[in-house]
Amino acid sequence: SNSGRAVRTVRLADGTIVALDRNTSLSILITQGSRRIRFQSGRARFDVANDPATPFVVELRGGTVRSTGSEFDLVADTDGMRVIALRGTASLSSSDAPQASDIGLVAGQAMRFHDGKLAPIYRINTKAVYDLVHLAKQIMAKKIFYNAATLDEDDHKTSSR
């Protein structure tokens, strides 16, 4: 979790990079044969390490997100959960109909979970997404001020690839 004033970046045991915004809470279970996250609140970006044999699964209010190697944002707000695909493909399933086929999101698409149901897919401005991803990488590489705070040296080291 991140209760601090700045974005915190963590490299998981499988190589996945997770950027946690302020007031974000999640729990992580990475074992041989399993990559699971329980996302409780806040906002996070997942740059998932490629592993087709072991899907990366994020459990959230209303459903799950699965990836074998992509980049996506999760945002919890008063209207539920929002998933934004930034690179690759992420598969979503609703807790309301877990047996139904997963819905695939590709870069530039987003979807909202609300009360266990999936809302229709909508497009996002891919140029704006690229600019945000680029800015986030600059912030991590150069310790640019963010939210009136800077990343400390330990957080900066864990984010390097």
Side-chain angles (χ1 to χ4, degrees), residues 23-83:
N23 302 317
T24 297
S25 179
L26 54 80
S27 48
I28 301 167
L29 176 62
I30 304 287
T31 62
Q32 189 165 356
S34 176
R35 304 190 298 166
R36 297 189 83 76
I37 301 284
R38 179 164 289 135
F39 186 83
Q40 286 102 14
S41 63
R43 179 183 194 135
R45 172 162 297 162
F46 297 86
D47 187 352
V48 178
N50 189 26
D51 184 353
T54 311
F56 187 87
V57 179
V58 181
E59 301 167 357
L60 42 97
R61 288 187 321 231
T64 59
V65 179
R66 286 182 177 75
S67 171
T68 56
S70 65
E71 188 170 6
F72 57 91
D73 279 354
L74 290 180
V75 181
D77 56 30
T78 57
D79 291 329
M81 301 290 297
R82 188 174 58 218
V83 181

Side-chain angles (χ1 to χ4, degrees), residues 77-99:
D77 56 30
T78 57
D79 291 329
M81 301 290 297
R82 188 174 58 218
V83 181
I84 303 165
L86 302 171
R87 178 182 47 79
T89 303
S91 298
L92 284 64
S93 61
S94 169
S95 60
D96 194 42
Q99 296 85 346

Side-chain angles (χ1 to χ4, degrees), residues 76-140:
D77 56 30
T78 57
D79 291 329
M81 301 290 297
R82 188 174 58 218
V83 181
I84 303 165
L86 302 171
R87 178 182 47 79
T89 303
S91 298
L92 284 64
S93 61
S94 169
S95 60
D96 194 42
Q99 296 85 346
S101 315
D102 287 350
I103 296 171
L105 286 184
V106 297
Q109 293 182 328
M111 183 173 269
R112 182 175 290 285
F113 287 93
H114 185 69
D115 293 332
K117 294 178 177 44
L118 291 169
I121 293 173
Y122 59 94
R123 301 247 357 124
I124 57 174
N125 182 332
T126 54
K127 169 83 169 92
V129 169
Y130 172 78
D131 290 346
L132 288 172
V133 170
H134 181 70
L135 178 60
K137 288 179 181 176
Q138 284 184 330
I139 289 168
M140 298 314 300

